[in-house]
């Protein structure tokens, strides 16, 4: 059975989980009311409000492939949102962001823990803007929303994390027997697949093409100038605003 450790303050729940993973059973979650050095993908910072948002890290020891940490967490987060706010229409923006329209609600950061050449576990951290105000979101450096900015309602963050942990663990169990089922849900919630999009590589080069599909290994299959390219998650970033729904 997983456990949920709620910390008042920590530098980063991912860093904490990577250091303390031995103390927790599989599927456990470490969350924090306040992160002082939250980390995002590609070396970016992740800013979140003081006791306002979800900042939590899940620990997985038995995944079919490491990228399933993000698959399970992403599918679970979408379903938690559908359950609590059926009027919203969240989708996954490959690899692991959650968007509402053209604005970011949530991001995920997966990190593997290695020892003596052996992978011990994968940590998937999720930041989801819950009660942060529109004014504070304006400093996020990209168009961002929170559940509060979308609905003008306050949400119980502790309750949402508990729900998320339950759904994550349900999908984690399913994944161990039927990984394809969870993968197919992840593909379905990745609403940009099939669309014309723009991607930008870490050097800033922009390419326009078609997001054809997601490969079985989680990569994006991208068709650019008649050529099929396979991108892994660190390779490119999709420019959400380039998509016409
Ligand atoms: C991104 O969109 O760049 C990923 C953001 C991931 C943020 C979460 S918050 C909980 C966990 N702890 C961290 O330091 N980062 C992740």
């Amino acid at each position: 059975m997983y456990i949920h450790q709620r910390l008042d303050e920590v530098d980063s729940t991912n860093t904490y989980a990577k250091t303390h993973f031995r103390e927790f059973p599989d599927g456990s979650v470490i969350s924090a009311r306040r992160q002082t050095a939250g980390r995002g993908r590609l070396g970016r910072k992740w800013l979140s409000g003081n006791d306002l948002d979800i900042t939590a890290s899940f620990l997985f020891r038995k995944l079919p492939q490491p990228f399933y940490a993000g698959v399970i967490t992403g599918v679970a987060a979408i379903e938690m949102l559908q359950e609590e706010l059926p009027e919203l229409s969240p989708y996954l923006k490959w690899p692991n962001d959650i968007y509402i329209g053209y604005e970011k609600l949530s991001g995920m950061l997966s990190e593997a823990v290695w020892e003596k050449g052996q992978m011990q576990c994968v940590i998937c951290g999720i930041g989801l803007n819950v009660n942060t105000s529109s004014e504070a979101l304006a400093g996020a450096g990209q168009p961002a929303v929170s559940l509060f900015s979308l609905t003008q309602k306050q949400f119980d963050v502790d309750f949402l994390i508990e729900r998320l942990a339950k759904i994550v663990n349900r999908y984690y169990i399913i994944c161990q027997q039927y990984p394809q089922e969870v993968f197919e849900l992840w593909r379905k919630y990745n609403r940009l697949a099939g669309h014309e999009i723009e991607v930008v590589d870490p050097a800033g080069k922009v390419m326009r093409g078609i997001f054809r599909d997601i490969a079985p290994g989680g990569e994006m299959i991208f068709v650019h100038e008649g050529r099929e390219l396979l991108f892994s998650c660190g390779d490119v970033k999709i420019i959400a605003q380039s998509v016409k729904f």
Side-chain angles (χ1 to χ4, degrees), residues 11-15 30 35 37-42 44-48 54-57 96-97 104 106-111 123-128 142:
D11 51 358
S12 145
T13 55
N14 264 34
T15 308
I30 293 129
Q35 282 194 135
R39 296 184 286 109
R41 292 197 322 113
L42 310 172
R44 290 185 294 250
K45 285 185 185 158
W46 182 262
L47 303 173
S48 46
I54 292 178
T55 49
S57 298
N96 276 317
D97 287 342
K104 180 161 167 167
S106 170
M108 283 159 239
L109 174 66
S110 290
E111 299 179 287
I123 306 297
C124 182
I126 176 165
L128 193 150
Q142 58 182 318

Side-chain angles (χ1 to χ4, degrees), residues 85-235:
L85 285 130
E87 70 274 24
L88 288 189
S89 187
Y91 67 91
L92 288 170
K93 171 177 158 283
W94 182 89
N96 276 317
D97 287 342
I98 297 179
Y99 268 65
I100 308 276
Y102 294 116
E103 295 168 308
K104 180 161 167 167
L105 175 70
S106 170
M108 283 159 239
L109 174 66
S110 290
E111 299 179 287
V113 180
W114 292 83
E115 264 179 19
K116 296 185 186 137
Q118 291 262 41
M119 198 174 77
Q120 305 297 312
C121 62
V122 181
I123 306 297
C124 182
I126 176 165
L128 193 150
N129 303 325
V130 179
N131 291 321
T132 286
S133 67
S134 308
E135 294 71 43
L137 289 164
Q142 58 182 318
V145 281
S146 67
L147 299 183
F148 174 75
S149 77
L150 290 163
T151 63
Q152 302 306 307
K153 288 186 203 140
Q154 294 281 341
F155 293 82
D156 180 340
V157 177
D158 291 37
F159 172 80
L160 293 181
I161 297 176
E162 292 292 345
R163 274 309 297 149
L164 181 62
K166 282 212 171 65
I167 305 172
V168 163
N169 274 274
R170 175 155 52 79
Y171 278 115
Y172 188 26
I173 290 165
I174 297 172
C175 207
Q176 284 162 44
Q177 249 198 314
Y178 308 106
Q180 198 58 30
E181 271 188 24
V182 188
F183 181 85
E184 286 307 327
L185 281 172
W186 188 62
R187 249 178 100 220
K188 181 176 118 188
Y189 295 147
N190 263 283
R191 204 180 292 162
L192 302 191
H195 284 275
E196 190 175 338
I197 59 169
E198 274 174 14
V199 297
V200 55
D201 73 11
K205 184 179 164 210
V206 176
M207 279 183 278
R208 192 161 185 90
I210 307 286
F211 183 167
R212 173 154 292 162
D213 204 349
I214 298 182
E219 304 89 350
M220 169 170 61
I221 305 170
F222 184 70
V223 182
H224 176 63
E225 295 176 348
R227 276 196 320 138
E228 204 168 88
L229 308 169
L230 206 60
F231 288 126
S232 293
C233 68
D235 297 346

